[in-house]
Amino acid sequence: MRAARLIKMVLLLQSRPVMTAAELARELEVSERTVTRDAQALSEAGVPVYADRGRAGGYRLVGGYRTRLTGLARSEAEALFLSGVPGALREMGLQDVASAARLKVSAALLPSLRDAPDTAAQRFHLDAPAWFREPGTPALLPVIAEAVWDDRCLRARYRRGDAEVERTLEPYGLVLKAGVWYLCARVAGGGSFRTYRIDRFEAVDALDGRFQRAADFDLPAHWAGHAERFARSILRAEVVVRLSADGVRRLPYAVDPLAAREALAGAGAPDAEGWVTLTLAVESEEVAHGQLTALGAEAEVLAPASLRERCAADAARLAARYARGDAG
């Protein structure tokens, strides 16, 4: 425990010109008296820790004592500090490990690159959860994440519809999509790759045995394929819609982007009024009603007749409400 603290103290002093006892105590989560004892122990071990007395004093390393990363350009150093996603690392239980790694890299950087962590952090921030959704961390995520890093099989019990299923899984990778965590895994024994929502796992146990990863597995490609198949699987109905030029522009933001892209690709030429008629794949008439309502007067539903009548009734109610001429 103390050895790890002493190493961290050296790294902190390498990353900054000088640190007060109070600053070191806060970073190391110890008392200032312990900082004094640790500094003395390092000095006795040959590490040149020097204590400046007085109000502006503190601890520093002398004699150029540091390990440097040579050949690292500023853009490379800044990109390195973009590779960590703090929220995701925290949810996977890797925050402390990532913090230690960043500290070691910071300590090893040349003085001219010492501000790379700050410049990167002030230029990029990932806010993964979707709007208007309270993010939640699945309780079993740290156990699953550890098995993923260690190529260790999992015995998992998860919800599938109204039933519970138990499987032995080979966990290949994790994906965080709009605040929801997914596990890409293969059923042990040569099964196919599947994708599981982690919040549907009821219990997981890491097994002693490790699995041999398939050399050709590509996590981004697997996820892209899964996402497209999922989108297609839920688009089971069709509606015919007439859109203005502004409606065409806004369509990908109102409905599934894949459905919008394919509908626009198959649309005919604009009519005399500049409107385009297209056939759009949707999840259901109910979902389509909510999505197309967002386009307002820039969309006209032509079919099915039941959806057209529903949208017409909405328009009539709105017209009557605004025709009253008052805000009451």
Side-chain angles (χ1 to χ4, degrees):
M1 184 71 175
R2 189 188 187 201
R5 189 176 70 240
L6 293 174
I7 292 173
K8 186 174 182 179
M9 184 174 180
V10 172
L11 292 172
L12 285 167
L13 293 174
Q14 280 189 201
S15 64
R16 306 178 197 179
V18 63
M19 293 185 71
T20 66
E23 290 172 334
L24 284 168
R26 185 167 55 254
E27 292 282 355
L28 299 172
E29 299 180 351
V30 296
S31 67
E32 292 186 31
R33 179 171 294 182
T34 299
V35 168
T36 301
R37 288 198 298 265
D38 286 350
Q40 183 177 351
L42 287 171
S43 181
E44 292 173 353
V47 179
V49 179
Y50 183 78
D52 291 312
R53 306 297 179 185
R55 176 176 294 182
Y59 292 91
R60 59 188 175 89
L61 293 173
V62 296
Y65 187 91
R66 65 173 33 87
T67 300
R68 294 181 175 178
L69 287 177
T70 58
L72 195 64
R74 168 169 291 278
S75 59
E76 294 170 331
E78 291 173 344
L80 180 63
F81 283 94
L82 286 178
S83 64
V85 184
L89 291 170
R90 181 176 59 252
E91 292 182 8
M92 288 188 290
L94 298 173
Q95 184 179 24
D96 291 342
V97 176
S99 177
R102 286 194 295 270
L103 179 59
K104 290 178 181 179
V105 174
S106 296
L109 288 173
L110 293 168
S112 61
L113 303 180
R114 197 66 52 71
D115 64 340
D118 295 329
T119 58
Q122 293 306 317
R123 285 164 174 78
F124 178 81
H125 174 68
L126 175 64
D127 184 8
W131 288 105
F132 313 119
R133 178 182 297 170
E134 189 68 27
T137 304
L140 299 173
L141 176 60
V143 177
I144 296 172
E146 186 174 353
V148 169
W149 302 130
D150 209 23
D151 292 340
R152 193 176 295 277
C153 291
L154 284 173
R155 189 67 180 169
R157 190 172 77 250
Y158 60 95
R159 300 190 306 277
R160 189 170 68 185
D162 296 330
E164 284 192 1
V165 179
E166 189 169 296
R167 293 281 189 274
T168 299
L169 302 176
E170 298 174 352
Y172 269 70
L174 295 165
V175 175
L176 176 60
K177 170 69 172 179
V180 180
W181 283 95
Y182 296 86
L183 171 67
C184 299
R186 183 165 64 176
V187 177
S192 59
F193 285 101
R194 302 178 185 179
T195 304
Y196 304 85
R197 273 187 62 142
I198 291 181
D199 58 9
R200 292 179 181 167
F201 281 94
E202 296 291 337
V204 292
D205 291 304
L207 305 180
D208 292 334
R210 288 181 169 83
F211 63 93
Q212 184 68 38
R213 292 178 67 92
D216 59 349
F217 178 77
D218 185 322
L219 180 60
H222 169 81
W223 175 256
H226 165 79
E228 183 170 334
R229 288 191 300 274
F230 175 76
R232 291 184 186 280
S233 71
I234 64 173
L235 301 177
R236 302 188 182 94
E238 288 185 344
V239 298
V240 181
V241 188
R242 188 167 171 262
L243 298 174
S244 69
D246 191 46
V248 168
R249 181 184 61 81
R250 291 163 52 188
L251 184 66
Y253 303 98
V255 303
D256 178 81
L258 174 65
R261 187 165 60 249
E262 293 185 346
L264 291 171
D271 60 21
E273 298 179 357
W275 286 55
V276 172
T277 299
L278 51 81
T279 300
L280 179 70
V282 295
E283 184 174 347
S284 65
E285 184 175 316
E286 181 70 26
V287 172
H289 175 254
Q291 292 174 331
L292 296 174
T293 297
L295 297 178
E298 307 307 317
E300 178 188 2
V301 175
L302 302 180
S306 56
L307 180 58
R308 179 179 175 84
E309 292 169 1
R310 190 171 180 178
C311 292
D314 289 345
R317 286 198 301 273
L318 280 172
R321 186 168 295 122
Y322 282 103
R324 291 202 303 254
D326 57 61

